[in-house]
Amino acid sequence: WCANGGDLLLCDSCSNAFCKKCIKRNLGRSKLSEIEEVETWDCLACQPRQVWKQRSMYHSVWLYQKNMMATEQANIAPADQDDIKPRKKLRTKKVLDQMRWKSAGEDGSQ
């Protein structure tokens, strides 16, 4: 993800490499430990099943935001739209991080 190098985990099936910091940040401490303990590891591109849970959470948040914005727009009369200040978009990454830490039971420290 970061392309900065560092302490890398190499895929046994292709030439991809992922830094441990990114794996820990994006998938959690337990996934990093799991990867380090196995003898052979296929990366997230070779075995995408490893990130299905995170992808489904992201998709759920995205759909929620999309539906909320559509509902909000539908409830606004055309004449009232000029008086509305633009709202800040929800921070998807922050929402996903909170969901990931709660589901993993971790404290969120890196």
Side-chain angles (χ1 to χ4, degrees), residues 7 11 15 42 50 88-91 98 106 109:
D7 198 4
C11 178
S15 61
D42 292 333
Q50 299 174 75
K88 291 183 181 178
K89 290 186 178 180
L90 293 175
R91 296 181 183 256
Q98 290 171 350
E106 296 178 358
S109 62

mmCIF file of all heavy atoms in Angstrom, residues 7 11 15 42 50 88-91 98 106 109:
data_model
loop_
_atom_site.group_PDB
_atom_site.id
_atom_site.type_symbol
_atom_site.label_atom_id
_atom_site.label_comp_id
_atom_site.label_asym_id
_atom_site.label_seq_id
_atom_site.Cartn_x
_atom_site.Cartn_y
_atom_site.Cartn_z
ATOM 1 N N ASP A 7 10.204 -3.336 6.532
ATOM 2 C CA ASP A 7 10.184 -4.759 6.871
ATOM 3 C C ASP A 7 9.089 -5.415 6.040
ATOM 4 O O ASP A 7 7.900 -5.223 6.300
ATOM 5 C CB ASP A 7 9.913 -4.918 8.368
ATOM 6 C CG ASP A 7 10.287 -6.281 8.888
ATOM 7 O OD1 ASP A 7 10.834 -7.094 8.111
ATOM 8 O OD2 ASP A 7 10.024 -6.536 10.074
ATOM 9 N N CYS A 11 5.273 -12.496 -0.985
ATOM 10 C CA CYS A 11 4.322 -13.523 -1.396
ATOM 11 C C CYS A 11 5.087 -14.718 -1.951
ATOM 12 O O CYS A 11 6.081 -14.558 -2.657
ATOM 13 C CB CYS A 11 3.384 -12.958 -2.464
ATOM 14 S SG CYS A 11 2.197 -14.158 -3.088
ATOM 15 N N SER A 15 5.371 -11.920 -7.198
ATOM 16 C CA SER A 15 6.469 -11.022 -6.822
ATOM 17 C C SER A 15 6.025 -9.873 -5.918
ATOM 18 O O SER A 15 6.802 -8.958 -5.659
ATOM 19 C CB SER A 15 7.119 -10.448 -8.088
ATOM 20 O OG SER A 15 6.157 -9.707 -8.823
ATOM 21 N N ASP A 42 0.350 -16.573 0.634
ATOM 22 C CA ASP A 42 -0.079 -15.995 -0.631
ATOM 23 C C ASP A 42 -0.662 -14.625 -0.329
ATOM 24 O O ASP A 42 -1.505 -14.479 0.565
ATOM 25 C CB ASP A 42 -1.142 -16.871 -1.303
ATOM 26 C CG ASP A 42 -0.561 -18.196 -1.777
ATOM 27 O OD1 ASP A 42 0.648 -18.250 -2.070
ATOM 28 O OD2 ASP A 42 -1.325 -19.180 -1.857
ATOM 29 N N GLN A 50 -8.733 -13.092 1.833
ATOM 30 C CA GLN A 50 -8.203 -12.530 3.075
ATOM 31 C C GLN A 50 -8.767 -11.152 3.391
ATOM 32 O O GLN A 50 -8.752 -10.730 4.544
ATOM 33 C CB GLN A 50 -6.675 -12.424 3.004
ATOM 34 C CG GLN A 50 -5.984 -13.748 2.814
ATOM 35 C CD GLN A 50 -4.503 -13.585 2.617
ATOM 36 O OE1 GLN A 50 -3.783 -13.324 3.579
ATOM 37 N NE2 GLN A 50 -4.037 -13.715 1.387
ATOM 38 N N LYS A 88 -19.770 18.456 5.177
ATOM 39 C CA LYS A 88 -18.538 17.698 5.000
ATOM 40 C C LYS A 88 -18.910 16.236 4.795
ATOM 41 O O LYS A 88 -19.835 15.731 5.420
ATOM 42 C CB LYS A 88 -17.632 17.825 6.220
ATOM 43 C CG LYS A 88 -17.039 19.193 6.390
ATOM 44 C CD LYS A 88 -16.101 19.193 7.579
ATOM 45 C CE LYS A 88 -15.511 20.561 7.774
ATOM 46 N NZ LYS A 88 -14.636 20.612 8.929
ATOM 47 N N LYS A 89 -18.178 15.561 3.924
ATOM 48 C CA LYS A 89 -18.415 14.136 3.718
ATOM 49 C C LYS A 89 -17.946 13.375 4.946
ATOM 50 O O LYS A 89 -17.001 13.775 5.620
ATOM 51 C CB LYS A 89 -17.648 13.634 2.492
ATOM 52 C CG LYS A 89 -18.208 14.162 1.207
ATOM 53 C CD LYS A 89 -17.501 13.529 0.044
ATOM 54 C CE LYS A 89 -18.088 14.012 -1.258
ATOM 55 N NZ LYS A 89 -17.423 13.408 -2.402
ATOM 56 N N LEU A 90 -18.627 12.279 5.227
ATOM 57 C CA LEU A 90 -18.182 11.427 6.322
ATOM 58 C C LEU A 90 -16.799 10.896 6.011
ATOM 59 O O LEU A 90 -16.469 10.631 4.865
ATOM 60 C CB LEU A 90 -19.137 10.245 6.497
ATOM 61 C CG LEU A 90 -20.538 10.571 6.967
ATOM 62 C CD1 LEU A 90 -21.371 9.299 6.954
ATOM 63 C CD2 LEU A 90 -20.517 11.160 8.350
ATOM 64 N N ARG A 91 -16.008 10.744 7.001
ATOM 65 C CA ARG A 91 -14.662 10.214 6.799
ATOM 66 C C ARG A 91 -14.744 8.696 6.807
ATOM 67 O O ARG A 91 -14.757 8.068 7.854
ATOM 68 C CB ARG A 91 -13.721 10.725 7.863
ATOM 69 C CG ARG A 91 -13.561 12.231 7.792
ATOM 70 C CD ARG A 91 -12.588 12.718 8.843
ATOM 71 N NE ARG A 91 -12.503 14.144 8.801
ATOM 72 C CZ ARG A 91 -11.491 14.794 8.270
ATOM 73 N NH1 ARG A 91 -10.495 14.146 7.751
ATOM 74 N NH2 ARG A 91 -11.477 16.106 8.262
ATOM 75 N N GLN A 98 -12.943 2.413 13.012
ATOM 76 C CA GLN A 98 -13.699 2.178 14.235
ATOM 77 C C GLN A 98 -14.400 0.826 14.184
ATOM 78 O O GLN A 98 -14.405 0.085 15.159
ATOM 79 C CB GLN A 98 -14.721 3.287 14.444
ATOM 80 C CG GLN A 98 -14.095 4.606 14.803
ATOM 81 C CD GLN A 98 -15.091 5.750 14.789
ATOM 82 O OE1 GLN A 98 -16.218 5.619 14.342
ATOM 83 N NE2 GLN A 98 -14.655 6.898 15.289
ATOM 84 N N GLU A 106 -9.630 -4.984 19.480
ATOM 85 C CA GLU A 106 -8.324 -4.413 19.757
ATOM 86 C C GLU A 106 -8.515 -2.966 20.172
ATOM 87 O O GLU A 106 -9.531 -2.345 19.912
ATOM 88 C CB GLU A 106 -7.436 -4.504 18.521
ATOM 89 C CG GLU A 106 -7.171 -5.947 18.144
ATOM 90 C CD GLU A 106 -6.311 -6.058 16.875
ATOM 91 O OE1 GLU A 106 -5.964 -5.029 16.288
ATOM 92 O OE2 GLU A 106 -6.015 -7.186 16.491
ATOM 93 N N SER A 109 -4.366 0.885 18.900
ATOM 94 C CA SER A 109 -3.027 1.450 18.880
ATOM 95 C C SER A 109 -2.164 0.740 17.869
ATOM 96 O O SER A 109 -2.343 -0.432 17.594
ATOM 97 C CB SER A 109 -2.391 1.349 20.270
ATOM 98 O OG SER A 109 -2.286 -0.007 20.630
#
